[in-house]
């Protein structure tokens, strides 16, 4: 079975072809960073227009790279939510229309389920059950995953997502958009120990997170220490203290989630999963406490079409697809997802 996957929930247009026999055949990505950079964040209307501009040419590209004609496709998978509604509708319209024209089924994919299953695209994928840490720009959550579609939410951010806190902290220090990767790069030249940031909500039981206070802590540190002649080093030192605080907090909660569920396997997915400090620290923790940790390759941590094609294939081969309606949802709780059984 060959499935075309379409991701358009936010600021990247990602397409891929997944083949049940041969695995991932091709994937392409168009980033909208240049479109939104001058505004310091994603402008929803511009995002929709850019998706519309790129979806069809990218579909042609990815089919060419996969070496197949569109008529051999067996199904189309697209991100139906959560995300920016206009951006989602752009992908939904292309996916449903193409599926109708080709006479094949189209299936809705939950963006976060796509992220969650991205580590399964790698060789030696983790077995179920496992604990998933999903850390993206819009969500930070811990879930117990018994099987595909069986997700029990065990912890989540009560305010900002980890990626959002990275983005806002970067913006506040004038580092532009997208802030996460820029802040992480800067943190590498920051001095550890100059500032000590709190590890929010780690001093009490439970698996929830809160990152908005860290952002305020960073803002106060920035305002109190600015001298205007040493600001580059100050930025780097704040970036370092902030990153260490986020990574420590996530690590503490991951270990706690594994202890609480009795699971021996952890997977990490979503844009912040590309953070090198987080990857290294969780790997060290795993080695020390004898659990396994899996990550997607770096390019599949952030938004991409491969995770959508793969997740869509899993659902299509289980007989799931929807009617011709072009539909999308800005909000969509993961617990509403169906298990895979027919
Ligand atoms: O999963 P994703 O691509 O989009 C959403 O579904 O939200 O995640 C994007 C988020 C952004 O907040 C971005 O700043 C953050 O992931 N991010 C990072 C890194 N790369 C991306 N945060 C920290 N370190 C990174 N290396
Ligand atoms: Zn995402």
């Amino acid at each position: 079975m060959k499935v075309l996957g379409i991701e358009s929930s936010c600021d990247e247009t990602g397409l891929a072809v997944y083949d049940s026999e041969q695995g991932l055949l091709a994937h392409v990505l168009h980033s909208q960073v240049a479109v939104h950079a001058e505004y310091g964040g994603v402008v929803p209307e511009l995002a929709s227009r850019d998706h519309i501009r790129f979806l069809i040419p990218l579909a042609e590209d990815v089919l060419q790279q996969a070496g197949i004609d569109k008529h051999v496709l067996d199904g189309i998978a697209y991100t139906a939510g959560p995300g920016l509604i206009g951006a989602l509708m752009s992908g939904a319209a292309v996916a449903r229309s193409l599926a109708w024209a080709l006479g094949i089924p189209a299936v809705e994919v939950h963006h976060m389920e796509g992220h969650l299953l991205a580590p399964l695209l790698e060789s030696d994928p983790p077995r179920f059950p496992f604990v998933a840490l999903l850390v993206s720009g819009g969500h930070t959550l811990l879930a117990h995953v018994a099987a595909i579609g069986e997700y029990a939410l065990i912890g989540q951010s009560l305010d900002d997502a980890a990626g959002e806190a990275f983005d806002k902290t970067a913006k506040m220090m004038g580092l532009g958009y997208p802030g996460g990767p820029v802040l992480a790069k800067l943190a590498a030249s920051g001095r550890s120990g100059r500032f000590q940031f709190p590890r929010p909500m780690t001093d009490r039981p439970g698996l929830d997170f809160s990152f908005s206070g860290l952002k305020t802590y960073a803002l106060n540190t920035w305002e109190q220490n600015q001298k205007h002649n040493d600001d580059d080093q100050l930025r780097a030192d704040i970036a370092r203290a902030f990153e260490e605080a986020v990574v420590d907090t996530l690590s503490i909660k991951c270990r706690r989630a594994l202890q609480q569920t009795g699971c021996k396997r952890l997977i990490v997915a979503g844009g912040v999963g590309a953070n090198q400090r987080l990857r290294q620290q969780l790997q060290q923790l795993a080695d020390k406490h004898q659990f396994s940790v899996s990550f997607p390759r770096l390019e599949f941590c952030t938004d991409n079409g491969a995770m959508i094609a793969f997740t869509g294939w899993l659902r299509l081969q289980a007989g799931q697809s929807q009617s011709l309606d072009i539909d999308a949802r800005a909000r969509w709780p993961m617990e509403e997802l169906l298990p895979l059984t027919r």
Side-chain angles (χ1 to χ4, degrees), residues 6-7 14 21 31 49 58 66 98 129 134 140 148 159 175 179 218 226-227 249 266 306 308 339:
I6 301 181
E7 156 60 32
E21 305 290 309
S31 161
R49 288 187 213 174
L58 285 175
L98 193 55
L134 288 184
T140 292
I148 288 162
D159 39 56
L175 296 173
Q226 250 174 302
K227 290 195 186 68
T249 305
L266 173 71
I308 304 304

Side-chain angles (χ1 to χ4, degrees), residues 176-226:
Y177 145 92
V182 183
L183 201 83
K185 192 156 176 258
L186 200 60
S189 57
R191 292 168 296 188
S192 184
R194 176 170 173 199
F195 302 113
Q196 184 64 24
F197 281 34
R199 273 61 176 155
M201 296 183 70
T202 53
D203 58 351
R204 66 197 85 165
L207 296 171
D208 287 337
F209 304 93
S210 164
F211 290 110
S212 80
L214 269 185
K215 182 188 66 191
T216 313
Y217 204 92
L219 176 65
N220 291 339
T221 310
W222 171 241
E223 285 179 344
Q224 284 159 15
N225 291 277
Q226 250 174 302

Side-chain angles (χ1 to χ4, degrees), residues 255 282-291:
R255 171 134 159 78
L282 285 177
Q283 189 59 62
Q284 282 165 6
L285 200 68
D287 295 343
K288 187 170 169 201
H289 297 287
Q290 276 115 42
F291 63 87

Side-chain angles (χ1 to χ4, degrees), residues 7 9-10 82 111-112 115 136-139 270-271 301-304 307:
E7 156 60 32
S9 66
C10 189
H111 182 76
M112 297 311 289
H115 274 304
S136 71
H139 298 79
C301 285
T302 43
D303 292 348
N304 65 86
M307 65 187 195

Side-chain angles (χ1 to χ4, degrees), residues 74-77 96 99 103-107 316 320-322:
D74 299 290
I76 301 195
R96 288 266 172 230
I104 56 177
V107 67
L316 283 166
Q320 297 178 12
S321 66
Q322 296 82 27

Side-chain angles (χ1 to χ4, degrees), residues 144-259:
H144 177 264
V145 180
I148 288 162
E150 293 178 37
Y151 311 125
L153 187 66
I154 52 177
Q156 63 184 323
S157 180
L158 304 177
D159 39 56
D160 289 358
E164 189 179 356
F166 262 97
D167 293 338
K168 288 178 176 170
T169 301
K171 192 170 179 182
M172 175 268 293
M173 293 197 289
L175 296 173
Y177 145 92
V182 183
L183 201 83
K185 192 156 176 258
L186 200 60
S189 57
R191 292 168 296 188
S192 184
R194 176 170 173 199
F195 302 113
Q196 184 64 24
F197 281 34
R199 273 61 176 155
M201 296 183 70
T202 53
D203 58 351
R204 66 197 85 165
L207 296 171
D208 287 337
F209 304 93
S210 164
F211 290 110
S212 80
L214 269 185
K215 182 188 66 191
T216 313
Y217 204 92
L219 176 65
N220 291 339
T221 310
W222 171 241
E223 285 179 344
Q224 284 159 15
N225 291 277
Q226 250 174 302
K227 290 195 186 68
H228 306 287
N229 54 359
D230 177 31
D231 288 351
D232 283 348
Q233 189 59 52
L234 175 62
R235 274 193 192 88
D237 293 343
I238 291 176
R240 179 64 176 258
F242 174 85
E243 188 185 58
E244 285 179 353
V246 173
V247 169
D248 275 355
T249 305
L250 293 172
S251 305
I252 291 167
K253 295 286 164 113
C254 282
R255 171 134 159 78
R256 203 178 279 178
L258 290 164
Q259 283 171 325

